[in-house]
Amino acid sequence: MIRTLRRYQLVTDISVAAVFFWVQFPTLFTLGSGWVGSVVLLLFSCALGLRRVSPGLALGVAWLAAVVHMAAALDAPQYYDLAVLAVLFATACYGGRVVRWLGLASAVFGSIVAAAYLVVRNGIAAGVVQAVSGSGATLFSEIPLLLPSSLVFFFGCLAVLGLSWTLGLLARTMQRARASGAAQVTAEQDVVVEQERNRIARDMHDIVAHSLAVVIAQADGARYARETDPGVVDEALATISSTAREALGDVRILLSQLRHNQGDSPQPVLADLDRLVEQMRSSGLVISREATGQPLALATGQQLAVYRIVQEALTNALRHGDTSREVRLEFRWHPDALTVTVSSAMPDDGLGAVNPTGHGLAGMRERAALFGGEFSAHAVDGRWVVSATLPVPVAGVAR
């Protein structure tokens, strides 16, 4: 597997490998390694340069260098053997599943091979010396005496090689943790953006649906009353003009929020409900308004939620209900909550029932749920009843 590196990473690895070869090369001839040692050093340098580009290939080149090293019976260990540590680190940090476990297996098997090589090499050297001196010992008679030191050498190699591999695995885990944290932050930002867009979409739906319902009601009323009361036409046109102008301003605010990540723009509050009710009355609705209990101080977001719920409920009553009968708007203030109820008469044919899965009801339900409240909308005795309850902290009692 070939990994894609940035240019500075590739240049760094090549430079490290070149410096590694250049520093080690002059010492080879002083140690008597000659050209064989130069080949081994070159192989280890290549493995060092390839460790991040292709950890698997680097591991194979390092094994080839070790085999050539042992086959040539060079003195061991040498400084260039340290390249193995960097290769094992890379297999655990950058390698795939197979390469990663091959790196661990190489650490264990390499320690065994190094210890066995040391035993055989020193045993042969000791046997040759005794044979030359005429002591009568066999060639490998000294090998059992070397086993304790070989075991110590084995565990030492295993500890060093295993530590390099473990550090690589730890670095890999840390990299993944950082990437996971960054991905989580990005996902949270995406969720926030999506929620904001959903809020803007709900506001857009409420504004457009309400404004168009008022415009249609005023236009129909003016058309029917044109012959009998021409003055009504001017009043209807004025209402249509003001409603459309307000809707246009609200839509521009929402569109500006989509284009720019700016602060909160002015939003309707409870004080604007009077104007909303009067606007709906001028559109043909007969609205009775009642409030009971001690009013509480609501947060700005809660006031906006109440306003939009009332606006959507009155708009649905205008569009789908029997406009000749009274619409009841009730505010019931509890010690720790506010319940808003809008009850409108349904047409006798029952065709005015609102779609329970429509966007308007879904938006009202989400607005109530956003503040931990409850929402319901259903038909009761020929009337369509919309009710929302929003909890209010006790400390929010109005003064």
Side-chain angles (χ1 to χ4, degrees):
M1 180 185 69
I2 304 299
R3 299 176 66 247
T4 301
L5 299 182
R6 296 181 179 179
R7 177 172 298 182
Y8 79 90
Q9 293 175 320
L10 190 60
V11 171
T12 300
D13 290 350
I14 294 176
S15 300
V16 168
V19 171
F20 181 81
F21 181 84
W22 179 76
V23 171
Q24 298 284 338
F25 184 75
T27 63
L28 296 178
F29 295 95
T30 59
L31 295 176
S33 299
W35 67 270
V36 178
S38 301
V39 172
V40 175
L41 175 59
L42 179 62
L43 291 175
F44 274 127
S45 300
C46 291
L48 191 62
L50 294 171
R51 71 188 188 282
R52 288 199 292 182
V53 175
S54 179
L57 180 60
L59 183 63
V61 173
W63 266 111
L64 177 61
V67 170
V68 173
H69 184 281
M70 291 183 291
L74 299 177
D75 292 335
Q78 298 291 338
Y79 287 113
Y80 48 66
D81 294 323
L82 295 175
V84 175
L85 303 181
V87 173
L88 290 177
F89 178 92
T91 58
C93 185
Y94 308 111
R97 180 183 179 87
V98 175
V99 173
R100 187 165 64 252
W101 292 112
L102 282 177
L104 178 61
S106 297
V108 177
F109 185 68
S111 299
I112 296 174
V113 171
Y117 173 76
L118 182 64
V119 170
V120 173
R121 184 175 180 280
N122 292 342
I124 292 176
V128 170
V129 171
Q130 292 182 4
V132 171
S133 62
S135 60
T138 61
L139 190 61
F140 299 103
S141 60
E142 295 294 323
I143 290 180
L145 301 177
L146 297 173
L147 289 178
S149 59
S150 300
L151 288 176
V152 173
F153 183 76
F154 164 74
F155 286 111
C157 288
L158 184 61
V160 174
L161 298 179
L163 179 62
S164 299
W165 186 89
T166 303
L167 290 176
L169 188 63
L170 180 60
R172 181 191 192 96
T173 303
M174 294 177 62
Q175 291 175 359
R176 290 194 171 186
R178 287 195 296 267
S180 178
Q184 184 177 358
V185 171
T186 302
E188 290 175 353
Q189 292 175 347
D190 292 340
V191 170
V192 171
V193 171
E194 185 64 24
Q195 290 177 344
E196 181 66 11
R197 289 184 177 272
N198 289 337
R199 182 191 67 79
I200 293 174
R202 288 195 300 267
D203 287 346
M204 186 77 76
H205 171 271
D206 294 342
I207 293 169
V208 173
H210 164 73
S211 302
L212 289 180
V214 172
V215 168
I216 292 171
Q218 292 289 338
D220 289 342
R223 183 163 54 88
Y224 294 141
R226 179 178 54 189
E227 301 296 335
T228 60
D229 190 358
V232 175
V233 176
D234 293 336
E235 183 180 349
L237 290 176
T239 303
I240 290 174
S241 176
S242 62
T243 301
R245 190 175 291 108
E246 290 178 4
L248 180 60
D250 291 339
V251 168
R252 283 176 175 172
I253 290 175
L254 294 177
L255 291 179
S256 68
Q257 291 179 353
L258 283 176
R259 294 192 199 100
H260 309 287
N261 187 17
Q262 298 176 343
D264 294 337
S265 302
Q267 296 289 351
V269 293
L270 290 183
D272 298 316
L273 283 176
D274 294 336
R275 181 168 56 87
L276 174 65
V277 171
E278 291 302 322
Q279 187 182 59
M280 299 303 295
R281 283 172 176 166
S282 66
S283 300
L285 280 184
V286 181
I287 303 175
S288 66
R289 187 174 178 182
E290 180 182 355
T292 59
Q294 176 65 33
L296 305 175
L298 299 180
T300 303
Q302 291 177 314
Q303 294 188 49
L304 174 61
V306 172
Y307 181 92
R308 293 304 187 196
I309 290 174
V310 173
Q311 182 186 50
E312 179 66 21
L314 293 179
T315 302
N316 287 339
L318 179 63
R319 295 171 57 191
H320 305 291
D322 185 355
T323 57
S324 63
R325 298 165 65 183
E326 183 182 65
V327 177
R328 301 167 190 165
L329 173 59
E330 300 178 5
F331 283 76
R332 293 194 297 274
W333 296 94
H334 307 285
D336 58 352
L338 166 64
T339 299
V340 180
T341 304
V342 179
S343 173
S344 59
M346 299 171 60
D348 295 334
D349 55 12
L351 298 178
V354 181
N355 181 9
T357 61
H359 294 288
L361 292 181
M364 289 189 285
R365 183 174 289 104
E366 289 180 11
R367 290 183 186 278
L370 181 63
F371 297 97
E374 299 178 354
F375 175 83
S376 64
H378 52 273
V380 179
D381 297 332
R383 300 184 67 84
W384 184 256
V385 181
V386 174
S387 179
T389 300
L390 276 69
V392 182
V394 178
V397 178
R399 299 184 183 274

